[in-house]
Amino acid sequence: MSTLAHTMMTAARPADSGLTGPGELDRYSYAEAPGADRGPAHAWDGDAELGRAGRRAAGSRGRGLHGQLVQQLGQMIVSGDLGADRPLVPEEIGQRFEVSRTVVRESLRVLEAKGLVSARPNVGTRVRPVSDWNLLDPDIIEWRAFGPQRDDQRRELCELRWIIEPLAARLAAGHGREDVQQRLADMAEIMGHALAQGDSLTFSRADAEFHTLLLQVAGNRMLEHLSGIVSAALHVSGASAGGCDRPTDAGVGHHLRIVDAVGAGDAAAAESAMRQLLVSHPEVERVVPAPREH
């Protein structure tokens, strides 16, 4: 195993504790909220800990009272617990979550920037319809994925990846950078070892790095901008090899074929291998056919 692969395998093992300290808002995790029927998390069969670890990692963005309130309110809006039937009153929110008006105001501004709420004079702050939400925002992707819309979000992410990632693989193959080739190979190697050892957290991190890197080196700034969406998709999917199904040796093999094709500058082979990797979920198979073997 290369030095980079060994370092990542070692560094990835300690998972975030996910424990909240005194005065923090999160009194329970979103997926385990009392009285909420959220259904099973999309994780490896028999590996519920992966789903919890993944949620802790993504849910920790922007911690502090402001970040926590954004998370809490965002989850409640996306789940439908907060609707447009009544305004969001800052004073009530401050009292409920025991935070200052400044924290509430800043949090509502963040949610407004994401398209979840709107503030108007004489009307107040209200939840906006789903059609106004920034559905490509990584936070909203996460909140939808662990809420009532989880099945739709999972399917939509798989379909979106089918559209953009084969093109990214084709473009990446045309760049022929040795440093990129080595890093992709390292990530595939890590995934193989992690799969053999049942180390789901390390597998998910290497998988996300692999797919994010492909979009970043495609030479298209708009595709590069979408790398955060792919990373979020992998995170909420349960860390699967294709982002749409459970990891397998075949999935790792597809990653290795992508590495070889990118290294050889074979754009067609890179695109084909990526399509083989992504077509692994029934919802996607209903929309796109599996690529033919030549």
Side-chain angles (χ1 to χ4, degrees), residues 25-31 33-34 36 38 67-89 92-94 96-97 107-108 111 116-117 126-128 130 133 139-140 142-149:
L25 296 172
D26 293 20
R27 294 180 174 84
Y28 49 78
S29 68
Y30 176 57
R38 306 298 184 194
Q68 293 173 56
L69 186 57
V70 169
Q71 286 285 117
Q72 204 85 359
L73 293 176
Q75 291 169 352
M76 294 173 71
I77 291 171
V78 170
S79 69
D81 293 336
L82 291 177
D85 55 325
R86 62 187 299 269
L88 304 180
V89 182
E92 293 180 0
I93 295 174
R96 175 174 180 177
F97 294 105
S107 300
L108 290 178
L111 295 175
L116 292 178
V117 302
R126 290 183 177 272
V127 174
R128 300 174 70 174
V130 177
W133 297 358
D139 282 329
I140 295 180
E142 176 190 335
W143 298 335
R144 290 186 73 209
F146 296 115
Q149 303 173 46

Side-chain angles (χ1 to χ4, degrees), residues 7 19 21 42 121 133-134 151 173 175 193 218 227 249 251 264 279:
T7 299
L19 299 178
H42 294 292
W133 297 358
N134 179 8
D151 292 336
H175 287 273
H193 284 278
S227 63
D249 289 330
V279 181

Side-chain angles (χ1 to χ4, degrees), residues 13-246:
R13 288 204 173 96
D16 299 333
S17 68
L19 299 178
T20 54
E24 292 192 358
L25 296 172
D26 293 20
R27 294 180 174 84
Y28 49 78
S29 68
Y30 176 57
E32 299 170 352
D37 182 15
R38 306 298 184 194
H42 294 292
W44 292 13
D45 292 346
D47 192 358
E49 184 59 29
L50 171 62
R52 289 193 290 271
R55 285 193 289 276
R56 287 196 297 263
S60 63
R61 285 189 297 270
R63 278 304 188 196
L65 290 178
H66 166 250
Q68 293 173 56
L69 186 57
V70 169
Q71 286 285 117
Q72 204 85 359
L73 293 176
Q75 291 169 352
M76 294 173 71
I77 291 171
V78 170
S79 69
D81 293 336
L82 291 177
D85 55 325
R86 62 187 299 269
L88 304 180
V89 182
E91 291 76 11
E92 293 180 0
I93 295 174
Q95 291 176 2
R96 175 174 180 177
F97 294 105
E98 300 178 354
V99 294
S100 69
R101 295 179 64 179
T102 298
V103 170
V104 175
R105 186 165 53 250
E106 292 177 351
S107 300
L108 290 178
R109 285 175 179 168
V110 172
L111 295 175
E112 186 172 15
K114 296 177 183 293
L116 292 178
V117 302
S118 62
R120 296 180 181 177
N122 303 321
V123 175
T125 301
R126 290 183 177 272
V127 174
R128 300 174 70 174
V130 177
S131 58
D132 292 340
W133 297 358
N134 179 8
L135 297 179
L136 299 183
D137 183 284
D139 282 329
I140 295 180
I141 288 175
E142 176 190 335
W143 298 335
R144 290 186 73 209
F146 296 115
Q149 303 173 46
R150 57 185 176 273
D151 292 336
D152 286 340
Q153 178 68 101
R154 181 177 169 87
R155 174 184 53 79
E156 290 167 4
L157 284 171
C158 290
E159 293 170 355
L160 180 62
R161 292 186 62 198
W162 168 269
I163 295 171
I164 64 176
E165 288 201 75
L167 174 60
R170 169 179 282 275
L171 294 175
H175 287 273
R177 289 173 47 184
E178 292 186 5
D179 59 332
V180 173
Q181 168 73 9
Q182 183 58 56
R183 192 164 182 83
L184 288 172
D186 286 336
M187 294 306 106
E189 182 182 4
I190 290 169
M191 292 168 64
H193 284 278
L195 180 61
Q197 297 174 13
D199 186 350
S200 53
L201 182 59
T202 297
F203 187 101
S204 68
R205 291 179 175 177
D207 194 16
E209 175 75 10
F210 184 99
H211 290 270
T212 299
L213 181 61
L214 274 178
L215 271 84
Q216 291 175 342
V217 301
N220 183 306
R221 292 191 180 276
M222 296 185 73
L223 280 177
E224 181 179 351
H225 187 72
L226 296 176
S227 63
I229 298 171
V230 171
S231 180
L234 285 163
H235 164 68
V236 302
S237 69
S240 65
C244 302
D245 203 357
R246 61 178 298 174

Side-chain angles (χ1 to χ4, degrees), residues 161-162 165-167 169 210-211 214 254 258 269-279:
R161 292 186 62 198
W162 168 269
E165 288 201 75
L167 174 60
F210 184 99
H211 290 270
L214 274 178
H254 288 314
I258 294 170
E271 179 179 359
S272 177
M274 179 61 78
R275 291 195 186 280
Q276 290 282 358
L277 172 63
L278 292 177
V279 181

